[in-house]
PDB file of all heavy atoms in Angstrom:
ATOM      1  N   LEU A  21      -3.463 -14.457  19.936  1.00 64.00           N
ATOM      2  CA  LEU A  21      -2.006 -14.561  19.813  1.00 64.00           C
ATOM      3  C   LEU A  21      -1.412 -13.557  18.830  1.00 64.00           C
ATOM      4  O   LEU A  21      -0.242 -13.223  18.910  1.00 64.00           O
ATOM      5  CB  LEU A  21      -1.620 -15.976  19.374  1.00 64.00           C
ATOM      6  CG  LEU A  21      -1.596 -16.997  20.507  1.00 64.00           C
ATOM      7  CD1 LEU A  21      -1.351 -18.393  19.949  1.00 64.00           C
ATOM      8  CD2 LEU A  21      -0.510 -16.639  21.526  1.00 64.00           C
ATOM      9  N   ILE A  51       2.485   6.662   9.229  1.00 94.00           N
ATOM     10  CA  ILE A  51       1.909   5.527   9.971  1.00 94.00           C
ATOM     11  C   ILE A  51       0.396   5.425   9.730  1.00 94.00           C
ATOM     12  O   ILE A  51      -0.166   4.335   9.771  1.00 94.00           O
ATOM     13  CB  ILE A  51       2.254   5.620  11.487  1.00 94.00           C
ATOM     14  CG1 ILE A  51       1.946   4.313  12.223  1.00 94.00           C
ATOM     15  CG2 ILE A  51       1.554   6.789  12.136  1.00 94.00           C
ATOM     16  CD1 ILE A  51       2.938   3.207  12.005  1.00 94.00           C
ATOM     17  N   ASN A  63     -10.261  -5.908   9.209  1.00 95.00           N
ATOM     18  CA  ASN A  63     -11.652  -5.684   9.602  1.00 95.00           C
ATOM     19  C   ASN A  63     -12.647  -5.540   8.464  1.00 95.00           C
ATOM     20  O   ASN A  63     -13.817  -5.852   8.627  1.00 95.00           O
ATOM     21  CB  ASN A  63     -11.715  -4.483  10.540  1.00 95.00           C
ATOM     22  CG  ASN A  63     -10.983  -4.796  11.832  1.00 95.00           C
ATOM     23  OD1 ASN A  63     -11.204  -5.848  12.418  1.00 95.00           O
ATOM     24  ND2 ASN A  63     -10.080  -3.923  12.249  1.00 95.00           N
ATOM     25  N   ASP A  84      11.274   2.680   2.381  1.00 91.00           N
ATOM     26  CA  ASP A  84      11.338   4.083   2.803  1.00 91.00           C
ATOM     27  C   ASP A  84      12.248   4.381   3.988  1.00 91.00           C
ATOM     28  O   ASP A  84      12.411   5.541   4.350  1.00 91.00           O
ATOM     29  CB  ASP A  84       9.926   4.581   3.161  1.00 91.00           C
ATOM     30  CG  ASP A  84       9.013   4.642   1.947  1.00 91.00           C
ATOM     31  OD1 ASP A  84       9.537   4.731   0.822  1.00 91.00           O
ATOM     32  OD2 ASP A  84       7.783   4.608   2.122  1.00 91.00           O
ATOM     33  N   ARG A 146      -8.151   6.099  -2.154  1.00 95.00           N
ATOM     34  CA  ARG A 146      -9.029   6.813  -1.216  1.00 95.00           C
ATOM     35  C   ARG A 146      -8.338   8.096  -0.737  1.00 95.00           C
ATOM     36  O   ARG A 146      -8.923   9.174  -0.744  1.00 95.00           O
ATOM     37  CB  ARG A 146      -9.356   5.941   0.008  1.00 95.00           C
ATOM     38  CG  ARG A 146     -10.259   4.782  -0.281  1.00 95.00           C
ATOM     39  CD  ARG A 146     -11.737   5.190  -0.225  1.00 95.00           C
ATOM     40  NE  ARG A 146     -12.541   4.220  -0.968  1.00 95.00           N
ATOM     41  CZ  ARG A 146     -13.817   4.386  -1.309  1.00 95.00           C
ATOM     42  NH1 ARG A 146     -14.460   5.483  -0.993  1.00 95.00           N
ATOM     43  NH2 ARG A 146     -14.453   3.472  -1.989  1.00 95.00           N
ATOM     44  N   ALA A 183     -13.800  -6.690  -4.842  1.00 98.00           N
ATOM     45  CA  ALA A 183     -14.967  -5.806  -4.904  1.00 98.00           C
ATOM     46  C   ALA A 183     -14.640  -4.442  -4.284  1.00 98.00           C
ATOM     47  O   ALA A 183     -15.055  -3.397  -4.793  1.00 98.00           O
ATOM     48  CB  ALA A 183     -16.151  -6.453  -4.183  1.00 98.00           C
TER      49      ALA A 183
END
Side-chain angles (χ1 to χ4, degrees):
L21 279 174
I51 193 76
N63 295 312
D84 293 337
R146 290 275 159 192

